[in-house]
Amino acid sequence: MSDRDIPRRKRVIVLGATGSIGASGLDIIRNDPGRFEIVGLSAHRNREALASLAREFGVSEPILSSEGEAPLLEMIKRTKADVVLNGIAGSSGLRPSIAALESGKDLALANKETIVMAGPLVRDLAKRAQARILPVDSEHSAVFALIEAHGSDAVAEVVLTASGGPFRSWDRERLARVRAADALRHPTWSMGPKITVDSASLANKGLEVIEACRLFDLPPDRVKVVVHPQSLVHSLIRTKDGVLWAQISLPDMRHPILSALAWPEVVPNRLEPLALDRLLDMRFEPPRYDDFPLLPLARRAAGMGGAYTIAYNASNEEAVAAFLEDRIGFLELAEVTARVLERDWSGEPADFDAVFAADAAARKAARDTIAILAR
């Protein structure tokens, strides 16, 4: 076999390398060195862990984003890579996504805020750069694969599954007494504090509804949510003939990460398969919209367009930060977002500067609201 016959390894930049997505991605790459190669790493502030990973993978200039955003964006742009795995949490992941696409790299996207805040602009940028956005959220990865298999024209609706979080069966009186420590105990997934709180409040599912609308060109009424506590069915599509098609696997983020990194190939892996020769409990139930209003608020924001989804995300981020500091209660997470969404966010951002301006305005409105509620 000549050198030309040997397939080149895919070069990967991992952003948020010390977080849960980054750790899962690195585990995939570590165990398939013939297929993938790490060429760039970043973390927010965990210097020692990042340095250890840089030594392991031979990365000479790992980036701590807490020391400045500019070096991170420069590393993304100048590093020769095929795909960027963006595992950064929150709105701070948007600029790195832009940098990846501007430099013509495919984007394996776990940072849902990129699409929630700037979906149309980001998709247009990807098209102009001839780069692909490959979803890493387990739900959107499942929908992506199902639509690839059946074709977008066959899809009547998308059904996103939700674990229901730790308070799925709690009544409103108990929810009013929830504190941060309670919300950080997720029954299925191991995630950072922001996403874990969002899962408990169903804001995370709300963000995913917005993301699905933007990624797959669907109106909100064609993106449904069902609670599935076992987290084995990661999402479904209903085709126009009424048939449901599901993507099913054990709840392990390495599955969707590998799918994104290996795309368009489907490759073997060492992950544990879901065994069907044993008793399985797979239940489904409707969400409790009245008790978890951040989910219907997200659907409303998605339908109103403009900067409403930016305001939804920004106000929720500010509210979660206040909740984690015990300045507001669990039920006030939705109250903050609802009050911010009462303002006029109808202007459609024409560029990324307008996106960040709307984000800043919504954050100020949220902080003002939190100050009132925290009195």
Side-chain angles (χ1 to χ4, degrees):
M1 179 183 289
S2 70
D3 289 345
R4 273 186 295 182
D5 296 325
I6 300 173
R8 180 176 63 79
R9 293 187 295 170
K10 218 176 227 190
R11 299 165 298 189
V12 183
I13 296 173
V14 178
L15 309 180
T18 59
S20 60
I21 293 294
S24 294
L26 291 173
D27 184 70
I28 287 289
I29 293 163
R30 182 182 290 116
N31 287 282
D32 200 349
R35 191 179 305 276
F36 303 111
E37 174 188 8
I38 296 290
V39 293
L41 291 168
S42 83
H44 185 53
R45 60 170 59 95
N46 196 334
R47 183 185 301 275
E48 290 186 8
L50 181 63
S52 175
L53 291 172
R55 288 192 296 271
E56 177 185 355
F57 290 101
V59 173
S60 59
E61 296 182 48
I63 302 294
L64 274 179
S65 59
S66 59
E67 295 184 350
E69 186 178 57
L72 172 63
L73 302 182
E74 177 62 24
M75 182 272 284
I76 294 169
K77 290 179 179 180
R78 65 176 166 77
T79 302
K80 291 182 178 179
D82 302 295
V83 59
V84 176
L85 173 60
N86 187 348
I88 296 173
S91 58
S92 58
L94 174 53
R95 289 191 195 274
S97 291
I98 295 169
L101 294 172
E102 283 180 338
S103 56
K105 300 173 177 68
D106 286 345
L107 179 62
L109 187 60
N111 177 262
K112 57 180 63 65
E113 290 80 3
T114 291
I115 300 298
V116 169
M117 293 174 66
L121 294 171
V122 167
R123 290 187 63 192
D124 182 63
L125 173 58
K127 184 177 181 180
R128 286 186 279 111
Q130 296 185 320
R132 291 297 300 254
I133 300 171
L134 304 163
V136 167
D137 269 347
S138 62
E139 297 82 0
H140 301 91
S141 173
V143 173
F144 180 82
L146 290 165
I147 289 178
E148 280 210 318
H150 293 271
S152 58
D153 289 343
V155 178
E157 65 181 20
V158 161
V159 183
L160 305 179
T161 54
S163 71
F167 312 132
R168 178 175 58 87
S169 60
W170 289 30
D171 61 28
R172 195 168 183 83
E173 184 179 338
R174 288 186 74 189
L175 290 174
R177 300 194 298 269
V178 166
R179 289 293 172 261
D182 305 314
L184 292 174
R185 291 191 286 266
H186 193 277
T188 307
W189 299 99
S190 175
M191 305 172 289
K194 162 64 166 58
I195 299 176
T196 306
V197 172
D198 281 351
S199 179
S201 69
L202 293 193
N204 194 53
K205 204 54 51 179
L207 292 168
E208 289 174 3
V209 167
I210 297 169
E211 188 179 7
C213 292
R214 296 285 178 84
L215 278 175
F216 306 117
D217 293 320
L218 294 169
D221 62 357
R222 291 177 60 194
V223 179
K224 307 297 174 59
V225 173
V226 64
V227 173
H228 170 51
Q230 294 75 32
S231 299
L232 298 174
V233 176
H234 298 290
S235 276
L236 310 94
I237 62 169
R238 189 187 304 276
T239 47
K240 290 177 179 176
D241 57 4
V243 175
L244 283 169
W245 303 84
Q247 195 261 33
I248 307 173
S249 66
L250 290 172
D252 187 333
M253 283 305 298
R254 292 175 295 177
H255 282 294
I257 291 170
L258 177 59
S259 294
L261 293 181
W263 187 90
E265 293 184 83
V266 177
V267 300
N269 64 66
R270 61 182 185 84
L271 303 178
E272 180 186 356
L274 176 62
L276 295 177
D277 57 353
R278 60 184 174 85
L279 183 64
L280 284 178
D281 178 19
M282 297 205 308
R283 289 176 289 117
F284 303 89
E285 59 194 59
R288 292 162 49 206
Y289 293 104
D290 290 342
D291 292 329
F292 296 92
L294 278 163
L295 180 52
L297 283 171
R299 189 179 297 280
R300 176 183 165 219
M304 295 180 75
Y308 280 93
T309 60
I310 300 171
Y312 177 92
N313 178 71
S315 55
N316 179 63
E317 282 194 14
E318 294 292 331
V320 169
F323 172 69
L324 289 171
E325 295 170 358
D326 288 323
R327 290 191 285 131
I328 61 173
F330 184 76
L331 294 181
E332 290 168 325
L333 291 168
E335 181 68 17
V336 171
T337 301
R339 292 193 186 189
V340 172
L341 289 178
E342 288 173 358
R343 304 191 180 200
D344 182 6
W345 303 100
S346 58
E348 188 73 43
D351 53 32
F352 290 116
D353 287 341
V355 169
F356 290 113
D359 178 72
R363 288 178 188 280
K364 183 182 184 305
R367 289 192 293 269
D368 291 345
T369 302
I370 290 165
I372 294 170
L373 293 174
R375 287 175 185 169

